[in-house]
Amino acid sequence: MAKLSLVHKVPTQEKVVAFTFDDGPHPLYTKELLDIFHKHNGKATFFMIGEELNMYEAIAAEVHMAGHEIGNHTYSHPDLTTLTIDEARTELQRADDTIRKVTGKHVLNFRPPFFGVNDDILMLAAEFGYHSIGAVNGEAKDWEQPGVDFILDHTRPTIENGSIFLFHDGYGERAQTIEAVRVLVEELDAEGYRFVTLSELFGIADLQL
């Protein structure tokens, strides 16, 4: 059996990338992202925290209705590696139930808070049927609000077919992230890239095998 690990990119010959956003939904920043991707006819994946989704369920429903994907980012955003396996399972299950209440669909993708995984957590996610998702541009550290140029300079070198990008739309001030994403989407659109959900990205890769 292949060793389980976080997926940072998906091999594909097509010019497609997956933008992902953690820690939402948020009534301002998530809606701004919906506008950006609507303008460029693209889709993204939003890794939502169950507690935040309960607060802003209408925003989550808007994300789903617009054709974007919602992934599991736990219920209360703990480092799962500090919990017992039963506590971690409860975090994933509560978030899964909360998301399914909005979408009516199986949740397919999971990102651990702080990228906190070990073999047990990866196995647990696999039990749920999830892909465990990383990212290629972790050095952009948009969650630290390092400046728009810093985020761009540490994301642009990671761009290639099948790249998975990490950004944040909740848990704090995210104006820098929104502006950086706006710039990146415009640049990549001009270069002929398409913006797809993670499930679409995995589907494209499977077709090419």
Side-chain angles (χ1 to χ4, degrees):
M1 178 179 171
K3 181 175 172 61
L4 295 170
S5 62
L6 294 175
V7 179
H8 302 291
K9 61 182 178 180
V10 176
T12 175
Q13 299 165 20
E14 291 195 34
K15 293 189 75 169
V16 292
V17 292
F19 279 78
T20 69
F21 300 94
D22 287 10
D23 295 355
H26 186 278
L28 172 61
Y29 303 123
T30 305
K31 289 178 73 73
E32 289 184 330
L33 291 170
L34 292 181
D35 290 341
I36 290 170
F37 284 92
H38 176 73
K39 177 181 177 182
H40 293 274
N41 195 31
K43 298 293 184 285
T45 301
F46 292 80
F47 285 99
M48 295 186 180
I49 300 169
E51 289 179 338
E52 298 299 301
L53 195 157
N54 278 334
M55 288 177 60
Y56 303 114
E57 188 172 319
I59 304 297
E62 193 172 340
V63 169
H64 173 63
M65 292 299 294
H68 303 282
E69 184 169 6
I70 299 177
N72 191 329
H73 198 45
T74 72
Y75 189 79
S76 65
H77 205 265
D79 180 344
L80 293 172
T81 64
T82 68
L83 307 182
T84 68
I85 198 66
D86 286 340
E87 289 170 338
R89 181 178 285 106
T90 298
E91 279 283 335
L92 293 192
Q93 188 65 64
R94 290 184 72 189
D96 192 288
D97 292 344
T98 304
I99 294 166
R100 288 181 63 158
K101 185 172 68 172
V102 170
T103 67
K105 295 182 174 182
H106 290 290
V107 183
L108 301 173
N109 294 292
F110 156 72
R111 177 175 283 134
F114 316 108
F115 290 138
V117 292
N118 53 30
D119 288 345
D120 288 340
I121 298 303
L122 290 168
M123 283 290 293
L124 176 63
E127 287 177 21
F128 278 81
Y130 297 154
H131 292 111
S132 293
I133 304 299
V136 296
N137 68 326
E139 291 305 308
K141 297 182 179 179
D142 77 303
W143 59 90
E144 294 182 355
Q145 303 178 56
V148 174
D149 287 342
F150 185 97
I151 296 169
L152 292 171
D153 289 345
H154 288 77
T155 298
R156 287 183 179 124
T158 69
I159 295 168
E160 58 182 297
N161 295 356
S163 287
I164 299 170
F165 304 125
L166 164 65
F167 299 101
H168 292 73
D169 63 331
Y171 264 26
E173 163 65 50
R174 300 302 180 203
Q176 292 180 7
T177 293
I178 301 303
E179 184 55 32
V181 169
R182 192 187 316 277
V183 171
L184 285 167
V185 168
E186 289 179 355
E187 290 178 353
L188 289 169
D189 191 8
E191 293 175 21
Y193 281 91
R194 292 192 299 117
F195 312 115
V196 298
T197 66
L198 285 170
S199 291
E200 289 172 327
L201 182 58
F202 283 114
I204 290 167
D206 288 344
L207 288 174
Q208 294 174 351
L209 292 177

